[in-house]
Amino acid sequence: MIKYGFVKLAYPKPETHDSLSALLRAADVFFSKPQQFKDQYTFGDYGNDKGGYTSIGVESVHPNSGKKDSVQNYVFRDDSVVDHHNPELAKPAVAYFREMARLTRCLNSLSSLALDLPLQKFNEVTFPSPPSDKNGLALRIAKYEPVEDIRYGEHTDYQMFTILYTGGEEGLQVQLPSGEFEDVTFEDGFVVNAGDFWAGITNGRWRSVTHRVKGGGARIAVPFFTGPRGSWRVTVGGEELTAGEWLARRLAKSNK
C-alpha cells in the first residue's frame, strides 16, 4: 500500500469462489436483457442509497475528461433490504456481499495492526452501530462494452478499500510512481487497492493510486467498495462533514 496502493489477495476460502461464480452467471443473464427491462431497476443517479441499475453513458469518472464511460452497472448498497432489486440477481449478490463484508472485517483488522492502532479501530469506523446507520459498503457489478479506447477513465477510488475480481482478464491499469500505466491481472484472487480515505487517514503513507480500465472485449468486473459508515465525521479541505455527505459529492461529479 505504501509504494503502489495495490496488493494481490488469494481467495480466502472456497465458498467465496462459489458465490462469485453464481453472481457472474446471474449478471451475464441480466445484462443481456432488453434495455427497457433493465431500466425498471434504475432508482436514481449512480450512487443513490437504493443502488440498482445505471445504463451506459451516465458516468464520467475522470474529473476533467468530459467523456462518458463505456460501462453499465448494477449496485447493491445493502445485504438485507433487497426487495426492490431484480430477484434473480439479488440472491447471489447477497451471498457474495456477505462474503465480502467478512473479508472487509479481516482487512480492516490487519490495517489496524499495520498502523499500530487498536484492532477494531477501522471496523468501528466502517460498520454502523446501531445498524440503522448507513454503512459505507457497496457491491458493483460492471459490464464493460467492447471498445478500443479507454472505457473507464483515470481516477482514484473515493473511500477505503476496493476489492476487485478480475478473473485474470486484462483491463485494469494502475499508474506507477513513474507516471506510466501498467496492466494488473490476477486469476486466482482479488486485486485490492486503497482509496482516498486511506490516503487521508494515513497522511499519505498509503497511496490512493490512479487507475483506469483500458479498451478490449466485453467483460464483467465485480468491485466491492468499503468505506466509513455514513455518520462518521471527517474533515476535508478544512470543512467538517459526514462521510456520507463527502461520498455523495464525489459521486455527483461523476454523474455530470
Side-chain angles (χ1 to χ4, degrees):
M1 291 301 178
I2 294 173
K3 186 175 181 179
Y4 296 109
F6 273 80
V7 298
K8 292 181 178 180
L9 179 69
Y11 285 122
K13 55 183 179 178
E15 290 84 351
T16 302
H17 187 279
D18 294 341
S19 61
L20 176 57
S21 297
L23 179 58
L24 290 170
R25 289 193 297 270
D28 190 54
V29 171
F30 176 83
F31 287 122
S32 68
K33 296 286 188 180
Q35 192 64 42
Q36 185 176 4
F37 176 88
K38 293 182 288 188
D39 285 342
Q40 68 180 308
Y41 296 104
T42 299
F43 307 119
D45 289 339
Y46 176 73
N48 76 84
D49 288 343
K50 295 180 71 174
Y53 176 73
T54 302
S55 62
I56 299 170
V58 172
E59 287 186 89
S60 181
V61 72
H62 189 298
N64 301 312
S65 72
K67 180 181 178 181
K68 295 297 184 180
D69 298 311
S70 299
V71 63
Q72 55 182 316
N73 63 76
Y74 201 112
V75 171
F76 289 85
R77 299 294 303 275
D78 201 341
D79 64 348
S80 58
V81 183
V82 296
D83 292 345
H84 58 291
H85 286 296
N86 174 261
E88 288 76 21
L89 196 54
K91 183 177 180 179
V94 166
Y96 187 67
F97 194 112
R98 291 173 179 171
E99 289 287 333
M100 292 298 98
R102 285 191 282 269
L103 178 55
T104 298
R105 290 185 179 275
C106 294
L107 292 174
N108 282 351
S109 296
L110 289 172
S111 299
S112 296
L113 292 174
L115 296 170
D116 296 321
L117 293 170
L119 182 63
Q120 295 304 318
K121 170 66 176 179
F122 294 118
N123 281 325
E124 292 170 359
V125 168
T126 301
F127 293 94
S129 181
S132 57
D133 190 6
K134 294 185 182 300
N135 67 52
L137 308 179
L139 170 61
R140 177 184 182 186
I141 308 139
K143 172 67 180 295
Y144 290 106
E145 299 306 307
V147 296
E148 294 182 3
D149 198 5
I150 298 297
R151 50 188 170 182
Y152 205 62
E154 299 174 19
H155 65 289
T156 57
D157 287 339
Y158 306 152
Q159 301 200 82
M160 294 174 80
F161 288 124
T162 300
I163 307 169
L164 174 68
Y165 165 78
T166 69
E169 296 185 52
E170 290 189 356
L172 175 66
Q173 293 186 315
V174 58
Q175 189 174 38
L176 302 177
S178 65
E180 298 179 347
F181 280 88
E182 182 174 290
D183 293 337
V184 179
T185 61
F186 191 36
E187 185 172 357
D188 297 320
F190 304 100
V191 176
V192 181
N193 72 279
D196 294 343
F197 267 118
W198 279 123
I201 290 169
T202 64
N203 293 319
R205 180 180 175 186
W206 288 7
R207 292 187 66 205
S208 177
V209 67
T210 298
H211 53 286
R212 67 189 185 187
V213 179
K214 70 178 183 180
R219 62 184 289 260
I220 294 176
V222 186
F224 185 81
F225 300 106
T226 80
R229 64 183 187 274
S231 65
W232 191 61
R233 303 200 69 82
V234 296
T235 300
V236 179
E239 179 185 8
E240 184 176 315
L241 67 167
T242 67
E245 291 168 339
W246 186 85
L247 177 59
R249 291 185 185 182
R250 293 292 301 271
L251 289 167
K253 290 182 179 180
S254 70
N255 287 324
K256 290 184 178 179

